[in-house]
Each structure stands twice: as C-alpha cells, then as structure tokens.
Amino acid sequence: FTFPLQLISNLFQTSNIIQANNKAYRAPSISLNISINNTKMKFTSALSLMMVGSAAAFAPSPVSLRSSSALSMADGEVTPLRIGTRGSPLALAQAYETRKRLIENFPELEEDGAIEICVMKTQGDMILDKSLMELGGKGLFTKELDVALLGDEVDICVHSMKDVPTWLPDGTVLPCNLPREQTNDAFITANNEIKTIADLPDGSVIGTASLRRQSQLLAQNPTFKCVNFRGNVQTRLRKLDDNVVDATLLAIAGLKRMDMQDCATAVLDWSEMLPAVAQGAIGIQCRSDDEQSLKYIAALNCMDTHVCVNCERSFLEALDGNCKTPIAGQAKIVDGKIVFKGLIAMPDGSVKFETESTGEIADAVEIGRKAGEELKAQAGDKFFEMMVEMSPQQVLGQITK
C-alpha cells in the first residue's frame, strides 16, 4: 500500500516538547490505532500534533484516527458515530470537545468504538503558499468534509463556523453550535514588550492572512506592512519567534481551546479590531435525513450562540462576502436583546463603513440581513465592483512569508 507520510508526519514528532512563543509545553504519549486505506496500524508516540496544553482534552484511550475512507465493521460490533474533521491541532481539539459533550449527553457513546474521529485534508490545509483570496475563498476548509458527509463516509462534521460558507450543500444541515468561546482577536508579539497595536513602531511587519485584520490595522497606521501568514496556530507562533514578523493576530478562542491563551500579549476590544463573522463558534453539520445524528447534535446546541451566529451569517450573506472584501460582524445578546455591529472596508484601510443595530432575539436573522443591506447601500455599487475587479496582487500588495 501507499503510506501517506504527510498524514503521519502531521500526527507525530520526535519530541513531545513543544515550543510556542518562547514557552515550552509537553504533550502526553498516546497509543493510536490508525486505519489508512483499510490497512490497520498501531503506533505509540508522543502525540504533539504541534499540540499545546489541552492535549489532555484529547486523550481518550485508545484514540482511533481514520483517513476519509469509510469504516468496515465486523458483525456484531457497534456501528460508530463518525466525526469528520480537519487534521490541524485546533480542529482536532474541537472534534474532541464535541466527542466529550456527546458522551456527557449520551453515556452509550462512551463504549469503545462508539465514536470515531475521521481526519481529512482540505484544499485550504494543503496549499499554504497562496493567500485564501488567491485560492478562491469560499469552502476551502469545508468542501472535502461536505463530500465525505454526502458520501456517507462520516456522520457529522465539526467546523470552525467562520470557515463555513453561507450556503450548505443540498442534503445537509447545520443545526448545532456549541457554546461560544470569547470572540475577540489576540495581539501577539515575540517578546511581549510591545503591549498594544498603537505601541508598534511605524513600518512594523505584521503577519496575517486576513484582509479583515489587515484593513483594520492599516486604518490605525498606514505605515504597517501586512504579510501573508498561513498555517496552523503553532506554525504562525514559530514564525513569530523566528522574527519573521514583528507581531501577529489570532483568534483568542483558538488559543483558549488549546490552552495557549498565555501566548497572547493582549486581547483586543471590538472597538480596536472587530472580529470575523462567526469567530469563536463551533458548528456541527450532518445529513438532513440522518435522524440519529440529528438527535445527538440537537442535545449539544447552544441556542444563544446559534442565534448570534445566524444573525452574523445573514449579514455576510446579504453582502455576498468573499475573501476579497474585508468584512467583520459580531452579534451578542445583552439584556434580552440582540446587539449587532458590522463593518466593511477597503483592504488598505482607507475607506470603512460601519453599522450597529439592536432588536428582538426572534428577529436576529432579519437584523443581520438589514445590516448587510445598509452597508451595501452606504458603500455603493462602485465599492463592490472594485473588489471584484481587483486582482489578488492588487488587493494584497504584499509578499508571502
């Protein structure tokens, strides 16, 4: 058989000591049963996955990780609930958080083999030397999971909601959001001596793959140089420690889910850096006719999170947002009302349009839609035509690191 070295190299490292932002973390040794192309292998190794702190959250024993091929179960064995996920440390942390919550709500799923984690690579994971905009933006981190779900290779898919397009493939639904983590962005410098964006000297180089972050950074200081910064959290922090850039920004939610929040120099208020639509939220998707999976994930849904995420995604859908347009949007429930704030901007931060609205929770989707339509009217057709016409090189105006 052909051995997928890249998959195994993503899972194992020679040392279980992990460096992140000049801090050392130790990952536990875990026994893995891996089935790849129907060939079963067993490994015992330090499962770093470039993983930090929260490795304990993902240490059920034994852990069964699979490629995207369908399961073949022996007669008499329990047919497992198959969870589809990307293979990054953060994605796996989210998949194992889902597993933990499923077991808490359905004790029968604690039985060995009752839940399997099915790891698969997406286009967005495999091509790291291009910006998301150059790759086409929508669905880069979900398409392969959609295909596996519709092909009955997995039963549910766990997503970072900010990666999920506003449309879903026919035959699938996304009725569940886990309780939301803090949505703000974290500001990170290598030595923690510079505490705020305002403290960065003119001409500072900031690593980010996000046009949303770039536009808000350049609006604060047009002399900043934003460079394309792709890869998982640990890869980005390593580049920061190697002095590739002076600073970077990451979602504090992802850092918290991997017990890496100590890497953050500061957590930015919405007024300084408005987060992405659905940032900090985990979504669980399944087939629309899969009654068993629907039952399982219905028990995990956090309605407050679901309402806010639906409001934000309605805003994004109204704008027909893509990776060429810097868009930010956040909703929260305050005193029984839903409060929404959104913005769109030019990539260089020279032009920015903002909106705020408050209304009844039952009207969340409509509030998001109207906010999107309001900004669309403020910006005018010319603004969006420019976004469509600009080449990736014109929009980025930057180098890839």
Side-chain angles (χ1 to χ4, degrees), residues 347-372:
D348 63 2
S350 60
V351 179
K352 183 168 64 172
F353 300 94
E354 299 178 87
T355 184
E356 291 189 48
S357 51
T358 302
E360 299 298 324
I361 292 174
D363 298 327
V365 170
E366 183 69 5
I367 288 168
R369 182 186 65 78
K370 286 184 176 178

Side-chain angles (χ1 to χ4, degrees), residues 36 49 92 99 212 269 370:
I36 301 169
L49 293 170
L92 287 169
R99 178 188 186 276
R212 169 188 65 84
D269 291 337
K370 286 184 176 178

Side-chain angles (χ1 to χ4, degrees), residues 101-112:
R101 290 176 181 270
L102 284 166
I103 290 171
E104 289 171 351
N105 283 273
F106 301 96
E108 68 270 19
L109 294 177
E110 193 169 7
E111 181 181 347
D112 280 352

Side-chain angles (χ1 to χ4, degrees), residues 6-25:
Q6 181 146 12
L7 173 60
I8 299 304
S9 69
N10 285 344
L11 293 176
F12 296 99
Q13 294 207 341
T14 56
S15 169
N16 61 347
I17 301 294
I18 303 124
Q19 296 289 332
N21 203 13
N22 294 320
K23 299 180 180 69
Y25 302 81

